[in-house]
Amino acid sequence: MFKAGAGMIDITPVAGTHLAGAAYGEYRPAEMVLDPLYAKAVVIQSDQVSLCIVTLDVIIITEKYCEKIRSAVVDLYGFSHDAIMVHAIQTHSAPGVGGFMFDQDHPVGLTPETEFLNGGETAYSEFASDKAIQAVTLAMQNMRPASLGVGRSLADHLAFNRRLVTRKGSVVMPGLWSTASQPLGPADLLYYEGPTDPEVAVLCLRDDHMDMIAMLLHFTCHPVNVFSTVRSWNAVSSDWPGVWTKEVQNVFGPSCVPLVLNGCCGNLNPWDPFAPDFVADHRRMGKRLYQVTENIIKKMRFQATSELDFRSSQVALDYRQIPEQRQAEVDQIIGEHPQVWFDDPMRQKTDNRWFLAASTKSIEFCKIRMPSFLYEVQAFRIGQTVVVGWPGEPFVEAQLALKTMTPAQYTMVAHCTAQYVGYLPTADAYARGGHEANPDCTYWAKLAPGSLERVTTFTKDLIRTLYQQEQ
């Protein structure tokens, strides 16, 4: 028997909740709601295997709260721990679930009033993780016989590589620009450092009455349209995934739970760096993705499947070597200010040099706890589709490589699963620096060159074990 169920619960924060993902060490309180945030869950079962995928419309979820959700599902419903995947879609107009800007063992001296500096506040983190568990409970209550449909198409010019090589050979992350301020355009930029992934993949679960139970969209792009708009700086939004969700439910009804699996978007943004006067519009983007989704579903064929399986394993990754000069600078700053150092009387923004130094110092505490960084890779097989869970923000090159390496007919990668990691750039990207390969060796850029390539090869081999009996 092939069964499925899904549930979703509102996790929109209250006014004043810190919205993470903005300038380092700066309080950004929620002041308005453009789009609600949700915790969503889908459960898929055969006679032998039960799988659970949870998504949250937040920027990051840390290992502590992922484990809280996974442990609850194990205790309540008897799932295997490895068969539960928790994914943050990474909208930058939402709170974090758990603190992620400093290592958990770094004694930076945060209080309940200043814990926003760490990217996540305890009250919201507990609230959102509790709601995620409730979403799984709804999914279990909604279990019924199901059939499966999968399809894919392309949607170009929605995501763009955000690392641009300059004439000096370095990398910058371009913003929006106008012909009024730059009549000749950003002439110092030469080319995109890397590719994008224009694939739109959709997995649908339908009951015996042909009503949609759940729909999974796999697309790859940072949800930062709202974040990039000054007038929406303090607005809560699930960005393009939220608009896509609303469009799906407008057509298929509120009982259909639409989940987004955002792919390896560590180096992808939703605006064309060479287009003048570009307007970032999450509604336009979400509606375009729904139009592609609808076209895919029109040609979809549904069938039951007994092919459910899962794998989970860890690969040990090395840390970056911090240059001696940077280490000396960090030690001096932290020595003078061992705990949080504010440079404004309202205590709503830290000194930037201190914040970056504390971020670099966090790597030291992480290494004490884990001499090698243990990176969890998950792989779920659902029929001829494999859903991969990769922590952190891997570059899209790895996702593209994985799709050409595996025996799966469809490969969907969900980034920001299981634990906070930071970025995983390609080995070549480190020499050019940039935000994702910060030369200061910040906590979000702590892994050594070659880590992404190791994870890709490791995952390819893990997926192949799901197909051993067919080879």
Side-chain angles (χ1 to χ4, degrees):
M1 178 68 73
F2 179 70
K3 298 190 295 182
M8 60 189 287
I9 293 184
D10 194 301
I11 57 169
T12 305
V14 298
T17 304
H18 177 61
L19 305 180
Y24 314 140
E26 182 177 353
Y27 180 47
R28 182 179 161 222
E31 294 179 353
M32 60 183 291
V33 178
L34 288 182
D35 313 281
L37 309 182
Y38 291 98
K40 307 172 186 177
V42 61
V43 173
I44 308 171
Q45 294 181 333
S46 67
D47 291 337
Q48 304 296 324
V49 178
S50 297
L51 303 177
C52 176
I53 298 175
V54 177
T55 70
L56 295 100
D57 294 343
V58 297
I59 184 168
I60 291 289
I61 181 167
T62 62
E63 183 177 19
K64 172 183 176 179
Y65 287 100
C66 283
E67 284 303 306
K68 174 184 172 180
I69 295 167
R70 292 169 80 175
S71 296
V73 176
V74 170
D75 292 343
L76 288 169
Y77 304 112
F79 280 57
S80 167
H81 180 272
D82 293 343
I84 305 158
M85 185 182 296
V86 182
H87 165 56
I89 67 164
Q90 225 207 355
T91 172
H92 279 50
S93 298
V97 178
F100 60 93
M101 298 308 296
F102 310 118
D103 187 75
Q104 65 187 50
D105 294 332
H106 189 175
V108 291
L110 299 180
T111 66
E113 292 73 29
T114 61
E115 66 175 343
F116 69 86
L117 295 172
N118 206 10
E121 297 170 303
T122 301
Y124 182 79
S125 299
E126 293 291 341
F127 163 76
S129 53
D130 285 344
K131 293 297 184 183
I133 297 166
Q134 292 176 31
V136 177
T137 295
L138 284 178
M140 294 298 296
Q141 293 171 352
N142 291 330
M143 294 294 292
R144 53 197 188 271
S147 56
L148 173 72
V150 190
R152 61 172 159 234
S153 185
L154 300 175
D156 205 0
H157 294 94
L158 288 180
F160 303 85
N161 199 287
R162 74 183 197 179
R163 286 174 57 88
L164 275 290
V165 180
T166 69
R167 295 184 183 277
K168 294 180 180 180
S170 59
V171 157
V172 297
M173 187 193 305
L176 304 172
W177 61 278
S178 67
T179 50
S181 60
Q182 292 181 272
L184 299 180
D188 59 320
L189 304 181
L190 286 180
Y191 60 92
Y192 300 102
E193 182 188 59
T196 64
D197 185 352
E199 182 177 86
V200 179
V202 180
L203 185 152
C204 293
L205 295 160
R206 190 175 77 174
D207 67 16
D208 290 346
H209 300 286
M210 294 189 291
D211 292 327
M212 285 291 185
I213 299 170
M215 193 179 298
L216 278 70
L217 169 73
H218 175 55
F219 189 67
T220 307
C221 185
H222 256 89
V224 291
N225 290 285
V226 174
F227 173 75
S228 68
T229 307
V230 174
R231 65 179 181 276
S232 299
W233 184 248
N234 295 95
V236 174
S237 174
S238 44
D239 210 87
W240 61 262
V243 177
W244 177 81
T245 292
K246 184 177 180 180
E247 292 295 312
V248 169
Q249 291 193 321
N250 283 344
V251 174
F252 293 95
S255 63
C256 172
V257 176
L259 297 87
V260 168
L261 302 180
N262 196 0
C264 297
C265 62
N267 52 345
L268 303 185
N269 271 353
W271 56 79
D272 186 346
F274 296 113
D277 306 306
F278 185 89
V279 177
D281 187 338
H282 72 300
R283 293 191 172 91
R284 179 183 64 218
M285 184 173 177
K287 289 179 179 180
R288 168 83 186 284
L289 285 168
Y290 174 73
Q291 291 170 355
V292 177
T293 298
E294 192 173 65
N295 290 336
I296 294 171
I297 293 173
K298 287 177 181 177
K299 298 183 179 297
M300 195 173 281
R301 296 293 179 266
F302 288 82
Q303 60 183 7
T305 181
S306 60
E307 295 167 334
L308 293 185
D309 205 350
F310 61 92
R311 297 288 187 276
S312 178
S313 190
Q314 293 180 326
V315 54
L317 303 177
D318 296 329
Y319 297 90
R320 293 173 75 183
Q321 292 295 320
I322 302 174
E324 291 184 8
Q325 182 178 352
R326 174 59 180 164
Q327 187 65 62
E329 181 183 34
V330 168
D331 289 342
Q332 179 181 350
I333 295 171
I334 298 300
E336 295 172 355
H337 303 278
Q339 295 195 333
V340 59
W341 179 22
F342 288 96
D343 60 358
D344 82 304
M346 300 298 294
R347 294 175 62 84
Q348 295 189 345
K349 190 179 191 311
T350 59
D351 177 88
N352 196 54
R353 288 177 66 246
W354 178 89
F355 187 90
L356 293 174
S359 179
T360 302
K361 189 71 173 178
S362 287
I363 301 175
E364 181 179 314
F365 290 94
C366 192
K367 289 174 72 172
I368 294 171
R369 189 174 63 257
M370 284 191 292
S372 294
F373 190 91
L374 300 179
Y375 183 97
E376 182 183 2
V377 175
Q378 292 179 274
F380 289 2
R381 182 175 178 181
I382 308 170
Q384 293 306 308
T385 300
V386 167
V387 176
V388 172
W390 271 350
E393 300 183 63
F395 277 21
V396 72
E397 286 90 338
Q399 177 173 292
L400 295 170
L402 191 65
K403 288 181 178 181
T404 65
M405 289 179 173
T406 70
Q409 185 175 353
Y410 298 89
T411 302
M412 302 180 178
V413 183
H415 84 326
C416 287
T417 60
Q419 61 192 130
Y420 177 71
V421 172
Y423 289 97
L424 284 87
T426 60
D428 292 340
Y430 283 86
R432 298 191 181 99
H435 173 72
E436 303 86 358
N438 193 301
D440 285 341
C441 298
T442 50
Y443 194 53
W444 64 84
K446 60 181 170 285
L447 298 177
S451 296
L452 182 67
E453 290 75 11
R454 287 190 65 188
V455 168
T456 306
T457 301
F458 182 86
T459 306
K460 174 198 70 174
D461 294 339
L462 190 69
I463 291 174
R464 289 188 181 281
T465 66
L466 293 169
Y467 288 83
Q468 283 178 341
Q469 294 182 349
E470 299 176 16
Q471 295 174 351

